[in-house]
Amino acid sequence: MSFPDPADYIDIHTHHGVLLPGRDVFSVISLMAHEEALPVPLPGIAYTTGIHPWYLSDSSYGDQIAGVAEAAAEGSVIAIGEAGFDRIKGPDPAFQRKAFEDQVRIAGEHDLPVVIHCVRAWDELLGAHKRLRPSRPWLVHGFRGNRDLAAQLLSKGMYLSFWFAFIIRPEAGKLIRSLPRERIFLETDGSGADIRDIYEKVSADLAVTVPGLKNIIYGNYMDLFAKV
Ligand SMILES: [Zn+2]
């Protein structure tokens, strides 16, 4: 298992599995079970694995969930996910719920956090959190909601990683300034955006230096993923 350095830019959620990061970028690659890619140990890279709600299918579900359980048991991933709920795309809510619960159970068995994909299903997510009482925090990726929603998720112990195209907007500065720094992450989601540019923008929003922001996010990474 590779760990970031305090001087790294940490990209907490990316799908660029083929590009090796630059020396100063640490990438958490989000493997999706349907892609059947394996978490190959490499410096500067960590992995999560899960079944994305868009790609749930009855015929392959058994194999996919077995693959997720296997990766968790091998210790080759730092979290389960992305997993969650999508009301725009994906199968019926009952199937999404079952798949999410199965993945949260696997995460619980191996004491892992879960990376969340959630589109217009926040009540469902909060209900699942209440019902399943996870042992480790959840990390909501691609967040682009308002302050009230952020506050609600944070009150459940969750971490927030912001949608790359949202966080670079001028108006996102106000939101990020209002949030506890010890619960934030940044990501490209494999968009081709440069994580360095995102750090630049957010460090200006928070009135800290880029090395200062690296330190904050490195600390958050170690709090969430380094088991003591
Ligand atoms: Zn993603």
Side-chain angles (χ1 to χ4, degrees), residues 161-196:
S161 175
F162 302 92
W163 187 45
F164 64 93
F166 163 75
I167 202 64
I168 58 167
R169 291 182 198 152
E171 63 269 26
K174 197 174 164 200
L175 173 75
I176 198 154
R177 275 193 295 279
S178 75
L179 301 178
R181 295 173 182 189
E182 65 275 11
R183 298 281 197 82
I184 60 168
F185 285 105
L186 301 172
E187 67 179 55
T188 64
D189 206 3
S191 61
D194 191 327
I195 193 70
R196 298 172 184 86

Side-chain angles (χ1 to χ4, degrees), residues 13 28-31 47-52 64-65 67-73 75-84 99-117 136-139 225:
H13 183 95
V28 179
I29 295 179
S30 178
L31 300 176
Y47 298 92
T48 69
T49 191
I51 310 176
H52 191 294
Q64 291 186 355
I65 199 74
V68 171
E70 200 181 310
S76 52
V77 294
I78 58 167
I80 299 300
E82 56 190 296
F100 185 69
E101 293 191 359
D102 285 349
Q103 293 181 85
V104 170
R105 183 176 34 76
I106 292 168
E109 285 166 7
H110 300 283
D111 201 27
L112 294 171
V114 178
V115 177
I116 306 290
H117 168 103
R136 298 284 297 282
W138 290 355
L139 191 175
F225 298 113

Side-chain angles (χ1 to χ4, degrees), residues 9-99:
Y9 294 89
I10 298 174
D11 184 350
I12 206 70
H13 183 95
T14 175
H15 294 277
H16 273 162
V18 288
L19 298 179
L20 282 176
R23 272 182 315 171
D24 54 350
V25 175
F26 185 89
S27 298
V28 179
I29 295 179
S30 178
L31 300 176
M32 297 188 283
H34 73 279
E35 297 173 327
E36 298 181 10
L38 293 171
V40 181
L42 288 169
I45 289 181
Y47 298 92
T48 69
T49 191
I51 310 176
H52 191 294
W54 291 0
Y55 304 107
L56 282 167
S57 94
D58 282 318
S59 57
S60 53
Y61 184 70
D63 287 344
Q64 291 186 355
I65 199 74
V68 171
E70 200 181 310
E74 281 170 355
S76 52
V77 294
I78 58 167
I80 299 300
E82 56 190 296
F85 305 100
D86 198 309
R87 287 288 174 269
I88 309 290
K89 202 170 156 182
D92 64 273
F95 188 12
Q96 293 193 24
R97 193 174 305 135
K98 178 191 165 24

Side-chain angles (χ1 to χ4, degrees), residues 3-10 22-26 44 199 214-215 218:
F3 276 98
D5 185 89
D8 285 340
Y9 294 89
I10 298 174
R23 272 182 315 171
D24 54 350
V25 175
F26 185 89
Y199 266 71
K214 284 177 170 177
N215 250 311
Y218 171 79

